[in-house]
Amino acid sequence: MTRAVLSFPTAAISLVAPPEVLAEVEALYPGAPTKRRFPAEESTLSVTAGEGRYRLETTPGPPRRFRTAADAALALALEIERLVLARRGDRPALHAGGVEVDGGAWLLAGRAESGKTSTTFQLAELGCPLLCEEIAILDPENRVLPFPQALRLEPDFVEEARRDGPPRGELTAGPDRLLRYRPPRRARAPRPLTALLLPRYRPSEPPRLARREPAESILELLGHCFEPLADEEPLFDRILTLAHSTPIHELVYPDAGSARRLLLELLDRGPE
């Protein structure tokens, strides 16, 4: 058994597991620092091996068993996300990817299958350091906290994106049919939020990039927020303020090539 302490936004987490499981976790969280950066009580997650299976101890609930180290690591990743969200206090958290652009943070908010991760991948390939994936937590100064994760991508999309050239980041096969992407650059410090993007992967529609008004975006942005730990009113106030102070763009694209062209256009002119 091996012990490693990883530091994430809002939580330091101690992992006790066989080396092969920890190696899979490190592949899911590339660049996660092993020293604390945020004051938090350390939590411990434990995986043991025996009889050809891995056993994850969780509280509450009975132990869970997995046949492979990769499956055990994916379950650990879900527990890590649960702890990170549970320790965030009154900080809002969005289901979003994020990259650094000119010292600021661009968040790409969306539900599953919206194209959020694919668009984050495109920006990372265009040279923007990856800030976060799946979970974007904002501090009181509206800075996005770094939460490094490997992107999980559909092979068909990656193959389509490769027509523009070989990937700059590292791609490896995952245990769930998806490809894992480790970006070439990562942001390692909080960045002020400077733009919100709403990706729409729609194969039957022409590509377009449009500025959204705050009033028509607030309810959607609230729908992309993780449930608050306490009162909902502070979350509504924060999102209302963000919507009125941050440029919001809708990005509709039918394929990887058109998404790349729209992103290049937006990067060239800035979020306005």
Side-chain angles (χ1 to χ4, degrees):
M1 300 291 285
T2 304
R3 181 178 183 271
V5 179
L6 301 181
S7 182
F8 296 97
T10 75
I13 300 173
S14 176
L15 304 177
V16 180
E20 64 271 22
V21 174
L22 290 180
E24 290 287 339
V25 172
E26 289 172 357
L28 292 171
Y29 295 100
T34 56
K35 62 184 293 186
R36 299 169 190 257
R37 288 191 175 182
F38 302 92
E41 178 184 352
E42 184 179 310
S43 299
T44 299
L45 297 173
S46 176
V47 172
T48 56
E51 300 180 358
R53 293 194 175 189
Y54 296 93
R55 171 176 165 144
L56 170 62
E57 306 288 344
T58 57
T59 303
R64 295 152 61 194
R65 293 174 173 81
F66 305 92
R67 292 187 179 276
T68 68
D71 288 339
L74 287 174
L76 271 176
L78 292 176
E79 290 298 311
I80 287 171
E81 291 180 7
R82 179 183 65 79
L83 287 170
V84 166
L85 289 171
R87 295 283 178 81
R88 74 185 189 273
D90 60 356
R91 301 179 181 95
L94 285 81
H95 187 208
V99 298
E100 179 186 341
V101 179
D102 296 331
W106 288 16
L107 285 187
L108 299 94
R111 302 183 188 278
E113 310 299 327
S114 66
K116 167 185 60 63
T117 299
S118 300
T119 311
T120 304
F121 163 76
Q122 294 270 34
L123 284 167
E125 281 290 288
L126 289 170
C128 302
L130 181 69
L131 186 59
C132 58
E133 165 63 359
E134 291 299 327
I135 296 175
I137 298 176
L138 297 170
D139 71 7
E141 288 75 42
N142 289 336
R143 298 180 301 171
V144 180
L145 304 183
F147 187 28
Q149 290 196 53
L151 276 62
R152 297 162 65 197
L153 300 161
E154 291 285 349
D156 290 346
F157 180 86
V158 173
E159 187 63 30
E160 184 182 352
R162 278 178 167 172
R163 296 171 189 170
D164 293 317
R168 300 175 60 185
E170 178 187 345
L171 283 165
T172 57
D176 50 4
R177 194 188 66 83
L178 301 177
L179 294 175
R180 292 178 184 169
Y181 172 76
R182 295 164 63 99
R185 301 173 63 196
R186 295 184 297 272
R188 302 182 184 275
R191 294 290 183 258
L193 180 62
T194 54
L196 285 161
L197 274 64
L198 303 174
R200 323 276 198 205
Y201 170 58
R202 293 176 179 170
S204 61
E205 295 187 21
R208 69 176 183 274
L209 180 64
R211 179 74 178 265
R212 290 283 298 269
E213 293 298 323
E216 61 182 348
S217 305
I218 291 169
L219 288 180
E220 180 176 352
L221 291 173
L222 284 169
H224 297 323
C225 290
F226 290 93
E227 186 175 349
L229 301 179
D231 189 4
E232 293 186 0
E233 187 172 345
L235 174 63
F236 180 84
D237 291 341
R238 282 290 296 274
I239 297 302
L240 184 67
T241 300
L242 287 176
H244 283 277
S245 61
T246 309
I248 304 172
H249 293 272
E250 182 181 55
L251 184 83
V252 179
Y253 63 92
D255 52 55
S258 59
R260 183 183 179 89
R261 289 190 293 273
L262 291 175
L263 290 170
L264 283 170
E265 177 186 341
L266 188 59
L267 286 168
D268 182 58
R269 75 185 192 206
E272 301 172 357

